[in-house]
């Protein structure tokens, strides 16, 4: 099956956000990946609600919102109201993850949990059946344009094996350093949603870069 493609708006030209969102609208992308960084959970700050609302105003595709923030519960409702369709929280940022996941679902959004490179997929065993998606970080979160970490493949194999027992329909998203070279192996290992920032927006033809990823199995 073809992967879903979620271009990361973090790599867009923020002075031309409407143009870049419209490029995604016209492309073969399925979602728009929106990276939220708070300068505490990760050593970088990206943007907040006014920018998400501006993206939502022009987007014709679902917003896939990746929260790299501490205490995400405090802001879930605001992210839903700003237009998020999928909300991802970090395992490492949630003390009461089950409660957080239920809160996301109660807001009418798809619930997803992200794992940092050092976090084992087996940490999710008890909650897997409640999740719509797991996001495997293939770089340390905080910045676009980093080098892909090869241990990601092993985690994908472990997660797909665990899913076959607990949650066969789970979406598995990979985020960080994804490009046309590693996409086929990621898909073969079980990834079915690919986030791509630099490999799309640094390309001379971003729309074609998205199409190439979409057909890269
Ligand atoms: C990193 C973000 C990623 C980032 C991906 O913390 O979560 O979504 O935008 O960018 P690339 O594809 O350039 O690694
Ligand atoms: Zn992300």
């Amino acid at each position: 099956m073809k992967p879903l493609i979620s271009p990361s708006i973090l790599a867009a030209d923020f002075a031309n956000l409407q143009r870049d969102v419209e490029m995604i609208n016209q492309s073969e992308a399925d979602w728009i990946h929106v990276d939220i960084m708070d300068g505490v959970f990760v050593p970088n700050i990206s943007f907040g609600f006014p920018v998400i609302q501006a993206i939502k105003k022009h987007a014709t595709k679902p917003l896939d919102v990746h929260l790299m923030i501490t205490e995400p519960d405090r802001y879930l409702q605001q992210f839903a109201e700003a237009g998020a369709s999928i909300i991802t929280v970090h395992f490492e940022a949630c003390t009461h993850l089950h409660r957080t996941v239920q809160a996301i679902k109660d807001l009418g959004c798809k619930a997803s949990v992200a794992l940092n490179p050092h976090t084992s997929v087996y940490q999710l065993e008890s909650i897997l059946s409640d999740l719509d998606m797991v996001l495997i970080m293939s770089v340390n979160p905080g910045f676009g344009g980093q080098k892909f970490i090869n241990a990601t493949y092993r985690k994908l194999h472990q997660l797909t094996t665990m899913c076959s027992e607990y949650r066969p329909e789970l979406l598995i998203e990979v985020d960080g350093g994804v490009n046309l070279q590693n996409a086929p192996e990621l898909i073969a290992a079980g990834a079915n949603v690919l986030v791509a920032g630099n490999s799309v927006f640094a390309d001379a033809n971003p729309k074609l870069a998205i199409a190439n990823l979409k057909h890269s199995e």
Side-chain angles (χ1 to χ4, degrees):
M1 221 180 74
K2 299 225 175 303
L4 301 179
I5 307 299
S6 194
S8 173
I9 207 75
L10 188 67
D13 176 355
F14 281 19
N16 287 290
L17 210 43
Q18 182 176 351
R19 180 199 68 191
D20 286 355
V21 170
E22 280 167 2
M23 180 281 292
I24 296 174
N25 289 344
Q26 289 155 20
S27 76
E28 290 189 60
D30 299 274
W31 297 346
I32 302 182
H33 188 79
V34 179
D35 285 309
I36 306 298
M37 304 175 180
D38 67 354
V40 179
F41 182 69
V42 288
N44 197 9
I45 295 175
S46 57
F47 50 80
F49 299 111
V51 176
I52 304 176
Q53 284 158 352
I55 294 167
K56 180 66 185 171
K57 198 168 145 201
H58 299 288
T60 57
K61 307 198 174 182
L63 301 191
D64 166 32
V65 176
H66 176 192
L67 300 182
M68 287 162 274
I69 66 174
T70 58
E71 296 187 59
D73 307 69
R74 295 167 64 196
Y75 299 103
L76 293 176
Q77 188 170 349
Q78 266 176 281
F79 284 112
E81 285 169 4
S85 293
I86 304 108
I87 297 182
T88 297
V89 294
H90 265 263
F91 173 82
E92 302 83 5
C94 296
T95 309
H96 301 286
L97 185 60
H98 185 271
R99 180 182 292 151
T100 305
V101 164
Q102 299 311 322
I104 294 171
K105 290 176 160 181
D106 288 346
L107 290 164
C109 299
K110 285 196 190 308
S112 160
V113 174
L115 298 178
N116 277 340
H118 73 276
T119 305
S120 163
V121 298
Y122 300 116
Q123 295 281 357
L124 296 180
E125 190 172 345
S126 304
I127 202 169
L128 211 53
S129 58
D130 294 293
L131 302 181
D132 295 298
M133 184 166 87
V134 171
L135 185 163
I136 302 283
M137 285 304 308
S138 40
V139 298
N140 284 293
F143 304 92
Q146 301 182 82
K147 192 172 171 290
F148 178 86
I149 296 171
N150 276 314
T152 305
Y153 297 115
R154 190 170 151 77
K155 288 176 82 169
L156 286 170
H157 286 298
Q158 292 168 332
L159 182 58
T160 47
T161 305
M162 190 163 60
C163 276
S164 58
E165 189 178 343
Y166 295 97
R167 187 77 176 91
E169 334 68 64
L170 186 81
L171 290 170
I172 301 175
E173 182 171 54
V174 178
D175 183 8
V178 173
N179 55 39
L180 212 47
Q181 286 67 50
N182 55 26
E185 198 173 341
L186 289 170
I187 297 163
N192 42 35
V193 188
L194 302 179
V195 175
N198 270 64
S199 67
V200 166
F201 286 98
D203 197 288
N205 188 342
K207 222 201 289 184
L208 182 62
I210 291 170
N212 287 338
L213 278 171
K214 183 79 186 171
H215 301 281
S216 61
E217 356 152 49

